[in-house]
Amino acid sequence: ECRKFKIPDVRIMAEIFESLGIDFRIMVVVRNALDILLSTTVHRHFESWSSAAKKYIDILEKDMIEGQLLRLDRRFYKCIDYDKLPKVPEDLGEFLNVDDYKSNYTLSGGFKNVFHHARGSAKVSQEQSTYMNRDGHKLYLRLQHRIDRLKSVCDMPLNFI
């Protein structure tokens, strides 16, 4: 089912890696619906608002949450909030096994070097609101509902619209 969007089945990958003695961990980056849609449709012009929203709703509902994360042992993944970047949990690099204490490299330090400005919460400007006609707004709300479900699975606080 994950092949539809070329999303690898991480549970199968985890089983394969673990059977080979390789520690497999996943970082789930959670972003709010408005920023996803604005980035995809307005800033990068990849597709229309409605097609992007429908695709992400489908990915989250069938593939990411029900199809993968709920079947995966919680010890194999950690979730981070995109809006809080560059701040990440201090233990994330250790969890992903990428911190190198010999060279003083840590993932949390790496994020701070790459992201120079903290992300703010999404606000709809007058220009952006033109993308949110009645149907577009319904799709946005459906997508945010799926993201809230993802946040719930990740034990993250929910942002109510």
Side-chain angles (χ1 to χ4, degrees):
E1 188 171 332
C2 295
R3 296 175 76 175
K4 181 177 177 182
F5 297 110
K6 296 184 172 102
I7 297 171
D9 188 323
V10 295
R11 181 159 186 227
I12 292 172
M13 289 176 65
E15 289 174 6
I16 292 169
F17 279 85
E18 293 292 326
S19 73
L20 296 171
I22 300 170
D23 195 24
F24 184 80
R25 299 287 182 249
I26 300 162
M27 178 176 69
V28 179
V29 181
V30 182
R31 192 174 190 188
N32 68 67
L34 182 60
D35 281 345
I36 289 171
L37 292 171
L38 290 173
S39 174
T40 304
T41 64
V42 178
H43 302 145
R44 295 185 288 162
H45 307 287
F46 284 163
E47 55 195 323
S48 73
W49 184 278
S50 62
S51 65
K54 288 174 187 174
K55 178 176 75 178
Y56 285 111
I57 289 166
D58 195 39
I59 289 171
L60 283 170
E61 187 173 81
K62 295 178 184 165
D63 297 331
M64 295 300 294
I65 300 172
E66 305 301 328
Q68 297 201 44
L69 290 181
L70 288 176
R71 295 181 351 192
L72 195 62
D73 188 314
R74 186 68 173 92
R75 294 173 297 167
F76 286 102
Y77 68 93
K78 279 193 183 249
C79 304
I80 65 170
D81 187 341
Y82 183 90
D83 288 336
K84 294 186 177 171
L85 292 175
K87 186 168 176 39
V88 297
E90 289 295 324
D91 66 340
L92 184 62
E94 185 176 334
F95 170 79
L96 294 170
N97 200 25
V98 297
D99 284 351
D100 182 3
Y101 296 107
K102 292 178 185 172
S103 68
N104 265 351
Y105 175 82
T106 63
L107 185 64
S108 62
F111 268 101
K112 290 173 187 164
N113 290 334
V114 173
F115 289 91
H116 299 288
H117 302 296
R119 306 289 191 246
S121 62
K123 302 277 189 264
V124 181
S125 71
Q126 183 67 28
E127 175 190 350
Q128 295 160 347
S129 68
T130 61
Y131 291 92
M132 292 181 61
N133 59 30
R134 193 165 128 163
D135 291 334
H137 188 69
K138 286 180 186 176
L139 288 169
Y140 155 70
L141 291 174
R142 281 182 55 206
L143 177 57
Q144 188 59 54
H145 177 72
R146 297 311 184 281
I147 291 170
D148 287 344
R149 172 80 172 113
L150 175 61
K151 285 182 170 188
S152 175
V153 169
C154 289
D155 296 324
M156 296 172 76
L158 302 180
N159 299 332
F160 296 101
I161 302 172

